[in-house]
Amino acid sequence: MFKKTLIAASVAATASFAAVGSTVSTTPATLGVEYAVGIQQVTAADVTITPERDYDSGDIITLEVTGATVATMTAAATPAPIVPTVTGVGNLLDNIEFLEYSGNKIKLLVTNPVAFGAGTAVTVSGVQLITTAAADEGEVKMSAVGTVATVEGPKTVDSSTAVTAITYAQQLDTSVSTAFDAVIDVNTARKEFVGGGTADTLVISNTEAAVSTGVTTTGATYKVWGDFSFLDADGDGELGGADDGAVTSTAGTATVAEDFMSVSVAQAAAFSTGTVGITVTGPADVVIPDQTFTAETKVSYTDPKGGATDLVATTLSESSAGAWTLNGAKAHIPFLPFGSAYSQSVTVSNTSTQTGGVDLVIYVGDDTVEMEGIATVGAEGVTDISAAIRNAVTSAGLSGPLSFDVIINAPENAIVVEALYYAKTDGDRLRTL
């Protein structure tokens, strides 16, 4: 009779397990992603679990972490086991201790029967978290659950609601706020922008967000990719000549790469919220190339682990930085053979009322040959520029298959360029544009 009463009581208790839940509390922190990735392992704030039921010796209370990996060894040069400090208050005082790690779970063992009462709680201190994937995780949450023994076997009880322990925030951020957007004026033979002048400015905006724990920046490098070879007006392979163009910046000295395909600006001052301007000023009387630009920003910061070398965060990764476009029409002819075995036909249809000059850019390997004013396209009609192109190719000493751009000083939506060639040996007549 006594045994039956105990079994009945145990079954009744099991039925009510889901109705009770413990509470978990901690002091949430906002860590900069750059700090979290750099430090790799942080100590979490103390976590307090308040149970809502009685526990017996041998029962387990488990603290579970999501969003980070629980570290079991210190990050020191000589790693040592991490044993969190477990402090009980109320009826849990001296009756609970650290048992083991199990994946992302920290298990606490109840060593003596504990009756729930006001002020009963357990605090876990010294939990260390591996944060190398902080940028991917977003936040760290913690929750608790109990495991008790019953006549039916172990039961999960006292599940808590998860609370946020750590929020990750991007401390350092960069964006292109004003892109290169000048329009090259074909009416000035592509040597000026519409509105006059040869200068255009890229503006990069920096933002440093407030975080509980962040990094100390030491500088930044801004890099822009584009074709800056037109700045070398005197053709000596470097900038600085009296007739050359220039690149300047509000953040420091701008350095153009040896191949003229990029420009870099090294900012020695600490990165902070604000803007950085990079201005490209072309030389006088030099054709400005239409092109697209990309930009990158890398920020240096002090190693939070105390290393002697700064770490680097890429805050802008080869993002679009705008383009220079033409206010006329441009057609690219990818293939057209020249020589005694071929004849060519290139015509321009112009439905506008504007007469337009024709420029040519011939691609020869990695180089270009630019020829201005080779022909004139009449208004509201079709103009055959085949002879003009053949003469241009011959005067440049070129032959064989070529690709080139035809640039017409007329509204883009009014121009249609057609190109074909005729092979004299076999009579093939092929259109290439």
Side-chain angles (χ1 to χ4, degrees):
M1 185 68 179
F2 176 71
K3 291 182 180 179
K4 290 182 179 179
T5 301
L6 288 179
I7 293 173
S10 177
V11 171
T14 302
S16 66
F17 283 164
V20 182
S22 61
T23 58
V24 174
S25 62
T26 188
T27 302
T30 301
L31 297 188
V33 167
E34 299 81 2
Y35 172 84
V37 172
I39 197 69
Q40 298 181 348
Q41 192 164 314
V42 300
T43 301
D46 293 355
V47 183
T48 298
I49 305 168
T50 303
E52 294 295 333
R53 66 168 54 255
D54 298 344
Y55 284 92
D56 200 352
S57 56
D59 290 342
I60 294 172
I61 297 175
T62 300
L63 176 64
E64 185 170 4
V65 178
T66 58
T69 302
V70 175
T72 61
M73 302 292 287
T74 62
T78 304
I82 299 170
V83 179
T85 300
V86 179
T87 306
V89 296
N91 291 331
L92 283 172
L93 181 64
D94 299 327
N95 292 318
I96 192 167
E97 62 185 32
F98 170 69
L99 176 61
E100 65 176 356
Y101 295 107
S102 177
N104 263 19
K105 299 176 182 180
I106 301 164
K107 294 187 175 183
L108 312 178
L109 177 67
V110 178
T111 55
N112 291 295
V114 175
F116 167 75
T120 299
V122 58
T123 298
V124 183
S125 307
V127 174
Q128 293 190 28
L129 306 174
I130 298 171
T131 59
T132 50
D136 302 322
E137 301 298 345
E139 62 181 2
V140 176
K141 288 184 174 290
M142 294 186 175
S143 60
V145 66
T147 303
V148 300
T150 74
V151 292
E152 296 178 354
K155 293 292 181 180
T156 297
V157 299
D158 215 12
S159 296
S160 76
T161 299
V163 298
T164 298
I166 297 174
T167 299
Y168 298 120
Q170 204 79 39
Q171 179 186 347
L172 311 173
D173 191 32
T174 304
S175 63
V176 173
S177 53
T178 302
F180 285 126
D181 61 357
V183 178
I184 303 166
D185 193 351
V186 296
N187 296 295
T188 60
R190 295 181 291 131
K191 296 177 180 179
E192 290 185 1
F193 294 125
V194 171
T198 61
D200 192 20
T201 299
L202 169 73
V203 178
I204 296 174
S205 293
N206 298 329
T207 302
E208 186 171 9
V211 292
S212 301
T213 305
V215 296
T216 301
T217 62
T218 57
T221 300
Y222 307 89
K223 188 172 185 178
V224 180
W225 284 271
D227 181 0
F228 300 100
S229 58
F230 75 104
L231 298 176
D232 182 21
D234 57 19
D236 64 355
E238 58 184 19
L239 298 185
D243 297 326
D244 290 346
V247 183
T248 57
S249 174
T250 60
T253 301
T255 303
V256 179
E258 289 185 4
D259 62 359
F260 289 98
M261 292 297 106
S262 65
V263 59
S264 299
V265 178
Q267 182 181 27
F271 180 94
S272 61
T273 297
T275 60
V276 171
I278 299 175
T279 300
V280 178
T281 304
D285 202 34
V286 172
V287 172
I288 302 171
D290 57 307
Q291 58 179 303
T292 59
F293 299 91
T294 54
E296 175 185 83
T297 302
K298 291 182 177 291
V299 182
S300 301
Y301 60 92
T302 303
D303 184 354
K305 297 194 300 296
T309 304
D310 284 350
L311 301 183
V312 176
T314 300
T315 57
L316 187 67
S317 180
E318 297 190 32
S319 300
S320 173
W324 289 342
T325 57
L326 300 171
N327 66 341
K330 175 182 176 181
H332 179 66
I333 299 175
F335 176 84
L336 201 62
F338 291 85
S340 59
Y342 301 94
S343 61
Q344 306 80 25
S345 174
V346 181
T347 58
V348 180
S349 173
N350 180 11
T351 59
S352 76
T353 58
Q354 179 177 325
T355 299
V358 178
D359 298 337
L360 201 64
V361 179
I362 307 172
Y363 295 93
V364 185
D366 294 331
D367 298 322
T368 59
V369 177
E370 299 183 1
M371 312 187 79
E372 301 174 17
I374 68 164
T376 300
V377 172
E380 297 181 316
V382 178
T383 303
D384 187 340
I385 61 172
S386 307
I389 289 180
R390 279 193 293 271
N391 290 337
V393 170
T394 300
S395 66
L398 301 174
S399 63
L402 297 172
S403 64
F404 51 89
D405 295 333
V406 178
I407 301 167
I408 302 102
N409 174 20
E412 180 180 9
N413 57 6
I415 297 294
V416 175
V417 178
E418 293 185 349
L420 55 86
Y421 69 91
Y422 175 75
K424 297 176 182 178
T425 55
D426 55 18
D428 281 351
R429 186 179 179 88
L430 298 175
R431 181 174 175 175
T432 63
L433 180 66

